C-alpha cells in the first residue's frame, strides 16, 4: 500500500509597496558632544559617510530632525547633554527582491519556510522593509486578525545570506526560540572548545546541510577546512569585513564532492558545518581556491525530519 500523498505546500507573500515607510535613527547627546556643538555639526561629525554637511543642513531645514520630541529647523541649534535626537529618513524605493515564500512545515511551535535567493532575512542596509521577516509578520498579522487569535510574531532562529536559498526555521513561541537557538549554538560551542566532530552532526539534535556550486574542479572527494574567521577593517564598510584570519574565531567545514563538471569548470559539493560564522562557506571555499557560485541550505533530508527537531 502506497503512503498517503504529502499535503500541498502553502505559498504566502504580498507584493511590496513602491516605497517603504522610511526609517528613524535615534541618538542621545553625550556630555562630550554637547560642548557648543550644533545639531548640524553633530550629524555631520557622527555620520560623515551618510551625507556632506550641506546634506545634513537640508535635512534639518526639511524638518527631518527632532530634539526631545520637537522638530527643529535651525541647523545652528546648540545641543545639550542628554538630549534625545531622532532623524527621520524619508521613504525610499528598495531594490527589487522576491516576496513569495513556500511553507514547508508548520506546527504550534515553529514554521519552516523555503527562502528564495535574493530575499534578505532581517532588516539591514538598503533592505528595511523588503525582508522575509516583514512578509512573516504581514502573514501572521493578517491570519490572526481574521481568526481573532492572539497575534504571533515568529522570528528566524538562524541566518541565511540574501543570496542563499533554502530552509529557514522560524520560532512561533519563546520555548521554541530558546530550544532551536540552543541546537544551532551546539555545534559552534563544540568547535570553540576544540571538540571537533569529523562526522559533522553525529549525535546532534539539528544538522545544517548546504549544497554549493564551487568554481574550479575539486579533485579530493572530501575536504576538511578548519580556518578561523574574523573581522578586518575595510574602507567604506563600517563594521568591517569577515575574512579568513588566524586571529579569528574557530570555524569548521567539511566538503563532500557530489559532481564534477569539467566542461564548465565547476564542482557541486555538499557542505556540513558545525560552526555558524558569518559567510563561513563563502570564506572557506575561497580560502581553498574555489570561490562560491551558488548556495542553498537543507536542514533535513525530508519534512518528517523537521518534525523531530523539538
Amino acid at each position: 500500500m502506497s503512503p498517503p500523498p504529502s499535503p500541498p505546500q502553502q505559498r504566502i507573500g504580498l507584493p511590496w509597496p513602491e516605497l517603504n515607510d522610511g526609517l528613524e535613527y535615534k541618538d542621545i547627546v553625550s556630555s562630550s558632544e554637547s560642548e557648543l556643538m550644533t545639531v548640524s555639526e553633530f550629524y555631520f561629525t557622527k555620520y560623515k559617510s551618510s551625507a556632506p554637511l550641506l546634506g545634513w543642513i537640508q535635512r534639518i531645514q526639511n524638518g527631518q530632525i527632532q530634539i526631545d520630541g520637537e522638530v527643529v529647523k535651525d541647523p545652528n541649534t546648540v545641543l545639550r547633554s542628554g538630549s534625545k535626537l531622532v532623524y527621520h529618513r524619508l521613504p525610499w524605493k528598495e531594490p527589487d527582491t522576491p516576496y513569495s515564500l513556500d511553507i514547508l512545515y508548520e506546527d504550534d511551535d515553529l514554521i519552516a519556510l523555503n527562502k528564495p535567493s535574493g530575499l534578505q532575512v532581517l532588516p539591514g542596509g538598503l533592505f528595511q522593509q523588503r525582508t522575509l521577516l516583514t512578509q512573516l509578520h504581514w502573514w501572521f498579522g493578517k491570519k490572526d486578525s481574521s481568526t481573532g487569535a492572539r497575534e504571533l510574531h515568529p522570528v528566524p532562529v538562524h541566518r541565511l545570506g540574501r543570496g542563499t536559498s533554502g530552509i529557514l526555521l522560524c520560532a512561533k513561541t519563546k520555548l521554541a526560540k530558546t530550544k532551536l537557538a540552543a541546537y544551532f549554538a551546539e555545534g559552534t560551542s563544540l568547535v570553540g572548545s576544540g571538540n571537533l566532530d569529523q562526522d559533522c552532526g553525529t549525535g546532534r539534535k539539528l544538522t545544517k546541510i548546504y549544497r554549493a556550486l564551487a568554481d574550479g574542479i575539486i579533485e579530493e572527494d572530501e575536504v576538511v577546512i578548519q580556518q578561523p574567521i574574523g573581522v578586518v577593517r575595510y574602507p567604506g564598510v563600517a563594521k568591517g569585513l569577515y575574512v579568513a584570519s588566524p586571529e579569528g574565531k574557530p570555524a569548521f567545514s567539511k566538503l563532500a564532492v557530489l559532481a564534477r563538471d569539467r566542461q564548465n569548470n565547476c564542482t557541486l559539493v555538499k557542505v556540513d558545518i558545525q560552526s555558524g560564522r558569518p559567510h563561513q562557506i563563502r570564506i572557506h571555499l575561497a580560502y581553498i581556491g574555489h570561490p562560491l557560485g551558488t548556495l542553498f541550505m537543507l536542514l533535513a533530508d525530508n519534512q518528517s525530519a523537521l518534525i523531530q527537531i523539538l
Side-chain angles (χ1 to χ4, degrees), residues 19-39:
L19 301 177
N20 61 22
D21 297 327
L23 201 59
E24 288 188 351
Y25 298 86
K26 299 181 180 181
D27 288 284
I28 297 179
V29 181
S30 67
S31 56
S32 61
E33 293 168 330
S34 64
E35 297 177 0
L36 300 179
M37 179 177 281
T38 65
V39 62

Side-chain angles (χ1 to χ4, degrees), residues 94 178 250 263:
E94 299 182 13
T178 300
Q263 182 176 352

Side-chain angles (χ1 to χ4, degrees), residues 118-236:
L119 178 61
Q120 189 156 305
V121 175
L122 301 176
L126 292 175
F127 298 92
Q128 295 296 323
Q129 183 181 66
R130 298 187 177 190
T131 67
L132 181 143
L133 184 65
T134 298
Q135 289 290 350
L136 203 56
H137 286 182
W138 283 352
W139 167 251
F140 277 90
K142 175 183 176 182
K143 187 177 179 181
D144 295 335
S145 63
S146 64
T147 62
R150 177 177 61 85
E151 188 171 347
L152 296 172
H153 294 285
V155 292
V157 292
H158 62 103
R159 293 186 296 259
L160 274 187
R162 184 163 62 89
T164 304
S165 63
I167 300 175
L168 187 81
L169 290 186
C170 303
K172 296 167 67 175
T173 65
K174 289 183 178 180
L175 177 60
K177 179 181 178 182
T178 300
K179 283 193 172 186
L180 288 169
Y183 296 162
F184 275 107
E186 182 182 22
T188 301
S189 63
L190 288 174
V191 172
S193 65
N195 297 321
L196 298 178
D197 177 6
Q198 296 291 327
D199 292 329
C200 269
T202 303
R204 294 176 60 195
K205 297 181 177 68
L206 190 148
T207 302
K208 293 180 286 185
I209 303 170
Y210 294 80
R211 287 186 180 178
L213 193 62
D215 184 55
I217 302 300
I218 301 176
E219 297 296 347
E220 302 89 342
D221 291 337
E222 289 189 351
V223 181
V224 173
I225 309 170
Q226 300 182 40
Q227 173 63 36
I229 294 174
V231 180
V232 296
R233 291 186 177 181
Y234 190 82

Side-chain angles (χ1 to χ4, degrees), residues 57-111:
I57 290 174
Q58 290 175 338
R59 293 172 182 180
I60 295 167
Q61 293 174 337
N62 287 341
Q64 293 176 243
I65 307 293
Q66 287 183 333
I67 301 178
D68 295 326
E70 299 292 332
V71 174
V72 294
K73 294 189 176 183
D74 182 2
N76 296 316
T77 301
V78 178
L79 300 176
R80 295 178 302 175
S81 177
S83 291
K84 297 179 180 179
L85 306 183
V86 180
Y87 159 52
H88 298 269
R89 182 178 177 182
L90 298 176
W92 72 93
K93 186 181 187 306
E94 299 182 13
D96 292 336
T97 186
Y99 63 84
S100 294
L101 297 161
D102 289 326
I103 297 177
L104 303 177
Y105 173 79
E106 183 179 8
D107 60 23
D108 293 338
D109 297 294
L110 63 86
I111 180 171

